[in-house]
Amino acid sequence: MTKMWSKDRQIDPLVERYTTGDDPEVDLRLMNYEIAATRAHCAMLVEMGILSKGELESIEHALDELEYAVGKGSFKIQPDEEDCHSALENFLVGKVGEAALKIHIFRSRNEQVLSICLLYTSPSSRDLSTSRMPSSA
């Protein structure tokens, strides 16, 4: 998988490991917030006529599967996925196909990061981080 930020040259694996550190583990703790933000975004896309109700149902089912796998501890963000956003997209595309690519319509990477940060810092969303997360995460 080509990384979003990669250019025409290879990054030394040692440098990459140093700069990413434990990012996949940290992002995994944010995955339920990314799932929640994606659900809300998909609902808006249906209202705008961009996603069909059938596509939404397929995406919702896949998000349920992902949320369960994260909570059970069986889902891991792979180093080549960079973060929870790419991992979620890859999971949805694998489960739903091309309809999953529509989740990026009207949604920038900055918006994705801001949304999960707001959810993470909001007291009213605390149950998202603990409802299905294993205690060792």
Side-chain angles (χ1 to χ4, degrees), residues 79-91:
D80 66 337
E81 290 179 311
E82 303 175 49
D83 55 32
C84 62
H85 316 295
S86 296
L88 181 137
E89 177 184 344
N90 291 339
F91 184 87

Side-chain angles (χ1 to χ4, degrees), residues 34 85 104 107-117:
E34 177 62 16
H85 316 295
H104 294 296
R107 194 174 191 205
S108 71
R109 191 63 149 210
N110 289 341
E111 187 277 329
Q112 287 178 286
V113 172
L114 179 60
S115 293
I116 66 171
C117 288

Side-chain angles (χ1 to χ4, degrees), residues 24-85:
E25 292 83 13
V26 171
D27 267 40
L28 188 58
R29 295 179 64 199
L30 299 172
M31 184 62 87
N32 284 339
Y33 300 108
E34 177 62 16
I35 291 169
T38 299
R39 288 183 194 278
H41 187 74
C42 287
M44 181 272 299
L45 292 175
V46 168
E47 290 296 316
M48 297 198 65
I50 293 167
L51 275 179
S52 71
K53 290 188 181 194
E55 289 170 325
L56 176 64
E57 287 176 16
S58 296
I59 290 170
E60 286 281 354
H61 180 72
L63 289 172
D64 289 342
E65 286 183 46
L66 178 58
E67 192 171 40
Y68 178 77
V70 169
K72 198 169 102 176
S74 62
F75 181 82
K76 302 291 180 220
I77 297 173
Q78 301 305 312
D80 66 337
E81 290 179 311
E82 303 175 49
D83 55 32
C84 62
H85 316 295

